[in-house]
Amino acid sequence: MLVILRDGRKLHGVLRSYDQFANLVLEDTVERIYHGNAFAESWHGLFLIRGENVVLLGEIDLDKEEEVPLKQVEYNLLAAFHKQDAESKKEREEIKSQILYEQKGFCKEGGEGDGY
Amino acid sequence: MLPLSLLTAAQNKPMLVELKNGETLNGHLVNCDNFMNITLREVYQTNPDGDRFWKLKECYIRGSTIKYLRVPDTLLDVVKEEQNRARDMNRSARGGHMGGGELRVVVLQEVVVVDVVDLCEEEEGAAEALNTFSYCSSVCFLYTLSIAV
């Protein structure tokens, strides 16, 4: 299963159980980060995720997974790029919400993940 | 196995708790409740960037501030085993009502016990008149099985 969290993390793992709040138990979890046409994984193991933080939960088609045209690289190599990406995205979002607030009469957005 | 029962079963186990603001807390679980409020002891706390650390003797975390928990991989196996044991105990306790005699005969083979209990449960709904017969037949069945194994 693929789980996307409100902070933008993408977790892959085996869904072991869930409850009425969508609290999830993921086994053999890996976190994946992407940059350009490369991705990297870091091992996390057994995870218990609080339901509120889940944006998306989807099943992965393992056959199609093998056809994905991305190449896997070392986590350490990609981590810096990924951090950069995240920061620039955050900046863009800030600018966007500032413009929406000043010129378009939108209310001020709250913190991280409020777009969901 | 619900997520929260897994957490309850993780008492005294080491775990990592990440809060919504990105802070992480590493420690041993002391207690938790159904709101996911938890207390940890011997805690190492880091800030969201992971460059500053604090050590806390004990701490309490409100459930609603938690993003996720990382628990030991072995926990799932432990919990599964415990659950199985509890179920078996439960089953043999209930089986005792029907006729404790035959269940005691077969504690040698857990597999057989389960089969017999299944059989008994199936027959639970059967007509009262058949009760004696079914008792006999399960004993026979059981006997055959124990020869087989």
Side-chain angles (χ1 to χ4, degrees):
Chain A
M1 293 294 252
L2 163 72
V3 179
I4 297 185
L5 300 187
R6 274 160 59 104
D7 61 0
R9 253 182 257 231
K10 293 162 187 76
L11 302 171
H12 292 221
V14 182
L15 181 65
R16 280 296 167 201
S17 82
Y18 61 92
D19 62 13
Q20 74 269 40
F21 308 112
N23 294 329
L24 310 173
V25 177
L26 282 187
E27 200 184 8
D28 300 332
T29 317
V30 288
E31 180 182 349
R32 273 202 189 173
I33 56 173
Y34 298 87
H35 177 77
N37 62 354
F39 74 92
E41 290 182 342
S42 90
W43 171 261
H44 284 312
L46 190 57
F47 245 78
L48 199 161
I49 305 164
R50 196 174 160 86
E52 302 176 62
N53 306 295
V54 176
V55 172
L56 177 151
L57 172 68
E59 193 181 345
I60 293 172
D61 187 333
L62 288 172
D63 298 331
K64 294 227 171 86
E65 173 89 344
E66 282 158 22
E67 298 162 16
V68 173
L70 296 174
K71 67 170 199 294
Q72 184 166 4
V73 297
E74 278 288 315
Y75 187 84
N76 301 338
L77 292 175
L78 215 60
F81 288 113
H82 180 257
K83 206 173 163 193
Q84 231 171 41
D85 281 354
E87 270 163 20
S88 62
K89 188 178 173 192
K90 204 171 151 195
E91 267 169 39
R92 274 206 311 281
E93 290 296 323
E94 262 169 34
I95 295 167
K96 199 162 104 186
S97 69
Q98 191 63 29
I99 292 172
L100 283 175
Y101 173 64
E102 283 169 358
Q103 301 170 16
K104 306 292 178 192
F106 278 69
C107 69
K108 266 212 159 94
E109 292 274 314
E112 171 188 84
D114 263 17
Y116 295 118
Chain B
M1 172 98 280
L2 293 173
L4 279 169
S5 27
L6 187 77
L7 185 60
T8 332
Q11 269 181 26
N12 297 318
K13 300 277 191 303
M15 60 174 56
L16 179 147
V17 183
E18 180 160 331
L19 305 185
K20 290 209 179 115
N21 61 10
E23 280 177 29
T24 64
L25 297 134
N26 261 297
H28 286 73
L29 182 67
V30 176
N31 218 334
C32 66
D33 66 11
N34 287 336
F35 299 114
M36 215 187 268
N37 299 326
I38 58 180
T39 46
L40 297 172
R41 64 180 159 73
E42 305 298 327
V43 187
Y44 290 95
Q45 181 185 6
T46 72
N47 70 340
D49 290 331
D51 50 13
R52 296 185 64 192
F53 299 84
W54 294 268
K55 177 143 185 0
L56 315 168
K57 193 97 191 106
E58 189 153 7
C59 79
Y60 169 84
I61 305 163
R62 187 177 153 96
S64 66
T65 63
I66 295 172
K67 189 187 287 167
Y68 62 74
L69 305 116
R70 278 182 67 181
V71 285
D73 294 352
T74 48
L75 184 62
L76 211 56
D77 303 331
V78 174
V79 171
K80 260 185 220 156
E81 217 162 86
E82 247 168 49
Q83 228 173 15
N84 280 344
R85 208 175 312 129
R87 197 190 49 210
D88 287 348
M89 294 271 277
N90 204 356
R91 283 192 156 188
S92 40
R94 272 192 295 133
H97 289 289
M98 307 241 344
E102 98 260 45
L103 285 169
R104 243 175 285 134
V105 185
V106 274
V107 265
L108 292 169
Q109 271 294 340
E110 253 182 44
V111 192
V112 179
V113 175
V114 172
D115 283 341
V116 171
V117 174
D118 276 342
L119 193 74
C120 292
E121 274 173 358
E122 272 171 33
E123 285 161 1
E124 220 163 16
E128 282 288 319
L130 284 172
N131 250 355
T132 336
F133 173 72
S134 65
Y135 176 79
C136 292
S137 70
S138 48
V139 173
C140 292
F141 174 66
L142 169 91
Y143 186 56
T144 335
L145 267 177
S146 51
I147 291 172
V149 285

